[in-house]
Amino acid sequence: MNPVIRLNEVTAGYERGKPVIRKINLLVEDGDFLAVIGPNGGGKTTLLNVMLGLLEPWEGTVEILGTSPKYVRGKVGYVPQVIPGKSFPITVMDVVLMGRLIHAGIPGRFTKKDREIAVEKLNLLGIANLAQADMNLLSGGQKQRVLIARALAGDPRILLLDEPVASVDSTTQESFYNLLVELNHRMTIIMVTHDVGAISAHVKNIACINGTLTGHGAGISGESVSRTYGCPFELISHGPVPHRVLGGKHSREED
Amino acid sequence: MEILSYAFMQKALIVSVLASIAAGTIGTLVNVNRMSSLAGSIAHASFGGLGLAYILGLNPLVGATIFAVLASLVIGAISGRSAMKTETAMAAVWATGMAVGLVLIKISGTYAADLMSWLFGSILAVNTNDIIYAVLLNLLVISVITILYKEFLAVAYDHRFAMLQGVPVGLVRTIFLVLTALTAVLLMRITGLIMVIAMLSIPPAIAEMFTTSLRKMMVLASILSAVFSVGGLFLAYALDLPPGSVVILLAAACYAAALLVERLRSHWV
C-alpha cells in the first residue's frame, strides 16, 4: 500500500453554501491508472482542481505524495482539455517549454537543457517534427500530444488529464489510450472523462463521482449505480475493472 | 519637407514613435489576455486624475497617472474573483473616474478647451515632459517584458498551468495592469483618452494575423503603431484635420484591409 494521493473527507465548491463535492475519500496507489467518470456537474473538474491545489477544500485534507499539493508543484503533470478554435500566437516549442518553468526559475531563461528535454518529450510523442510549428495550425490530436509533452517536460510522478478525448476522433483516441498505457509504466495516471466507451479496456480503476461519497469496491451492482447516481452502468456492470463510487445524493437507498 | 522644421512637429513625431513601442508591446498583452475593455476602463478612469490635477495645481500627466494606476489596481483586486465581477468592476471604474473628473473640473473652474485636448488628443502640443515620460516608460516596459517574458506568455496562454509551475499569477497580472495604465496615459496625449482603446487593440489585432509568436507580435504591433501614428500625423497636417482621429481612422482602415486579406487567404489556401 503506497498511496500517492489521499483525500480525506474533502468538501469543496465555489459558492458559499453550495458544495460541489462532499466528504470525498479517495486513495490512489502508486502506479494506478484511474478514470474518474460521472455526470456533468457531478464534480469531476472540482475534484481535479482540489488535487492540483488550485482549489482549497472547505473541509478535509488533501495529500499528494505525502504532502500538501502546494509543495509538490512540478511533480504533478497536468493536461487540460484541448479547446477547439482557441487562437494564440505561439509555437509548439514555446508551449512545451512551459512545463519547464518551475525548473528554469522566475525570472530567468530557459537553458539548453530545458530545450533538449522539451525536444525529447516531443520525440516520445512522435511530434518532434512539429517543434517550430504554429500551435493554431495543429489538429485536435496533435494539440493534445503537445499538451501531454508539456506536462511530461517536468518529469512528473503523477499525470492528471482533464477530458483528454473530448476533441479528437476515434482513431486518434485509440492510439492515445495506448500511449497512456505506455506512460503508466512510469507514472500514476488519473484521467477525468465522460467518454465511457473506451476506457474499461485500458484503465486499472474507475471512480464515479456525483456529489458525496457513498461507497466503493466491487460490491455495488451496476444497474443500481446507474439508476441512483447517473453513472453509466454498462461500463460498471460489464467491465472487469474494479471501481469506486464517489457520489450520489441518495446514499440511504444504497444502504 | 517643410513641416519637419517646426519644433512642435519634431516633438510630436518623437512622442508618436516612442509611444508606439510601448503601445505595441503592452497592446499585444492586452490582446492575448482579451482585456481591451479593461484598457478602455483604465484610460477613462484617468480623467478623474485630470480633475484632481487641476484642483491641486499638479501637472495633469501626474494626476492622470495616479488615477490610471489606482484604477488598474482596483480592477485587478476585484477581477481575481469572477468574470462577471470583472465586467462590473470595469464598468464602475470607467464611469466613476469620468464622473469624479467632471465634478473636480467644475469645482476648479478650468476652461473647457483644455479638457478637449485630453479627451481627443493634442499631439501637436506635446512638450519636453511628455518626451521624458515616453522615454522612461519605454525603458520600464522593455526591461520588465524582457525579464518576465516567459511568465507573461505562460499566464496569458494558460494561467492555471502557470500557477502549477509556481508562477505568481496574481503578481504578474498586477504588473501587467500597471504597465497598461502607464501606457494608456501616454497614448492619451496622442489620440485622447476616448480613443486610447483603439491604439492598444488595432495594431496588435493586425499583428496577430501575421505572426506565430508573442515576441514577433509585439515587434510587428509596435511597427504598425508607429506607421499609423506617424502616417496619421502627416495626413492630418496635409488635410488639416485633427491628428488623433486621423491616426485612428488610418489604423481602422488598415485593420479592415488586413481582415479582408486574411479572409481571402483562408479562402484560397
Side-chain angles (χ1 to χ4, degrees):
Chain A
M1 294 290 275
N2 187 13
V4 289
I5 294 179
R6 186 199 296 269
L7 267 65
N8 188 28
E9 298 283 300
V10 169
T11 298
Y14 307 93
E15 230 180 298
R16 203 175 305 167
K18 288 184 188 168
V20 183
I21 54 175
R22 270 174 289 163
K23 297 201 177 295
I24 296 288
N25 289 302
L26 177 67
L27 274 185
V28 181
E29 303 288 324
D30 196 9
D32 200 353
F33 187 167
L34 173 72
V36 178
I37 59 170
N40 281 335
K44 297 191 296 285
T45 306
T46 308
L47 182 70
L48 201 65
N49 284 342
V50 166
M51 289 196 281
L52 287 167
L54 292 174
L55 183 67
E56 277 294 316
W58 297 350
E59 283 166 37
T61 54
V62 181
E63 273 180 37
I64 310 290
L65 300 168
T67 180
S68 153
K70 278 186 222 113
Y71 300 116
V72 289
R73 297 256 187 263
K75 288 185 186 142
V76 180
Y78 168 58
V79 183
Q81 222 173 318
V82 171
I83 299 158
K86 186 192 174 187
S87 88
F88 196 99
I90 196 164
T91 61
V92 167
M93 188 65 180
D94 280 340
V95 174
V96 179
L97 277 173
M98 278 176 203
R100 299 292 302 169
L101 274 167
I102 204 161
H103 298 267
I106 297 158
R109 293 188 165 273
F110 291 119
T111 61
K112 197 164 165 252
K113 190 188 160 214
D114 291 323
R115 287 170 197 284
E116 279 167 9
I117 289 170
V119 171
E120 177 198 320
K121 302 306 174 191
L122 284 170
N123 246 324
L124 183 71
L125 291 157
I127 47 169
N129 58 320
L130 295 176
Q132 296 310 320
D134 181 350
M135 193 69 182
N136 301 310
L137 302 178
L138 268 49
S139 69
Q142 287 170 328
K143 278 184 189 166
Q144 182 191 60
R145 278 167 187 263
V146 174
L147 295 182
I148 295 172
R150 177 177 74 162
L152 296 179
D155 289 317
R157 286 194 51 198
I158 304 170
L159 192 62
L160 295 177
L161 301 104
D162 190 2
E163 300 284 1
V165 291
S167 67
V168 296
D169 59 67
S170 53
T171 350
T172 315
Q173 278 182 28
E174 190 51 35
S175 72
F176 165 73
Y177 285 123
N178 292 335
L179 170 74
L180 288 188
V181 169
E182 178 62 32
L183 289 172
N184 187 224
H185 296 311
R186 274 167 288 169
M187 62 194 77
T188 309
I189 296 182
I190 297 161
M191 179 173 75
V192 163
T193 183
H194 63 250
D195 170 63
V196 292
I199 53 173
S200 61
H202 304 280
V203 305
K204 293 177 182 166
N205 272 298
I206 296 170
C208 179
I209 183 161
N210 188 9
T212 57
L213 176 81
T214 53
H216 60 85
I220 300 165
S221 97
E223 245 171 287
S224 77
V225 168
S226 167
R227 202 176 51 241
T228 315
Y229 312 116
C231 283
F233 72 88
E234 312 92 285
L235 173 80
I236 291 168
S237 57
H238 300 283
V241 180
H243 63 273
R244 280 165 277 184
V245 179
L246 306 170
K249 282 151 192 163
H250 312 281
S251 55
R252 275 164 287 121
E253 286 178 32
E254 197 54 46
D255 300 329
Chain B
M1 294 273 268
E2 188 205 331
I3 55 164
L4 288 176
S5 62
Y6 296 123
F8 71 85
M9 195 65 181
Q10 290 165 0
K11 282 180 184 164
L13 287 171
I14 292 170
V15 170
S16 294
V17 172
L18 287 173
S20 298
I21 299 170
T25 314
I26 294 300
T28 294
L29 289 178
V30 169
N31 176 293
V32 296
N33 283 291
R34 306 279 178 255
M35 282 185 163
S36 306
S37 33
L38 175 137
S41 174
I42 290 173
H44 283 76
S46 65
F47 191 71
L50 294 176
L52 186 74
Y54 284 125
I55 287 249
L56 299 178
L58 293 172
N59 183 333
L61 210 52
V62 175
T65 305
I66 293 171
F67 258 62
V69 171
L70 276 179
S72 69
L73 293 177
V74 168
I75 296 171
I78 300 171
S79 69
R81 311 286 155 75
S82 79
M84 210 179 91
K85 279 187 182 151
T86 308
E87 279 290 297
T88 315
M90 288 192 300
V93 167
W94 182 309
T96 309
M98 291 296 283
V100 168
L102 280 173
V103 168
L104 292 180
I105 285 161
K106 172 71 182 163
I107 295 171
S108 78
T110 311
Y111 181 51
D114 204 30
L115 289 179
M116 292 293 279
S117 78
W118 285 98
L119 289 172
F120 300 105
S122 56
I123 182 66
L124 296 177
V126 294
N127 53 38
T128 315
N129 279 344
D130 295 309
I131 296 180
I132 294 170
Y133 187 99
V135 170
L136 292 178
L137 177 68
N138 275 329
L139 287 176
L140 182 70
V141 166
I142 291 167
S143 45
V144 170
I145 301 278
T146 308
I147 294 167
L148 292 175
Y149 178 77
K150 67 187 196 320
E151 285 75 24
F152 277 119
L153 178 62
V155 171
Y157 184 71
D158 184 347
H159 71 276
R160 283 162 58 87
F161 193 87
M163 220 178 264
L164 295 175
Q165 288 284 320
V167 175
V169 173
L171 180 65
V172 171
R173 279 206 174 134
T174 304
I175 293 172
F176 157 66
L177 289 176
V178 171
L179 289 179
T180 306
L182 297 176
T183 307
V185 172
L186 178 61
L187 290 173
M188 279 165 58
R189 298 295 281 152
I190 302 176
T191 64
L193 68 87
I194 291 175
M195 293 178 282
V196 161
I197 194 169
M199 283 312 277
L200 283 174
S201 48
I202 295 177
I206 300 173
E208 194 197 0
M209 298 178 199
F210 304 99
T211 48
T212 54
S213 85
L214 199 62
R215 195 177 277 116
K216 288 178 192 159
M217 183 171 159
M218 285 173 173
V219 172
L220 182 57
S222 298
I223 293 171
L224 287 171
S225 182
V227 169
F228 298 150
S229 42
V230 171
L233 204 52
F234 282 120
L235 212 55
Y237 182 85
L239 302 173
D240 191 24
L241 289 170
S245 313
V246 176
V247 169
I248 300 297
L249 289 173
L250 182 62
C254 291
Y255 183 45
L259 282 174
L260 197 68
V261 168
E262 199 192 39
R263 176 70 57 87
L264 293 175
R265 206 170 52 166
S266 67
H267 194 71
W268 280 326
V269 171

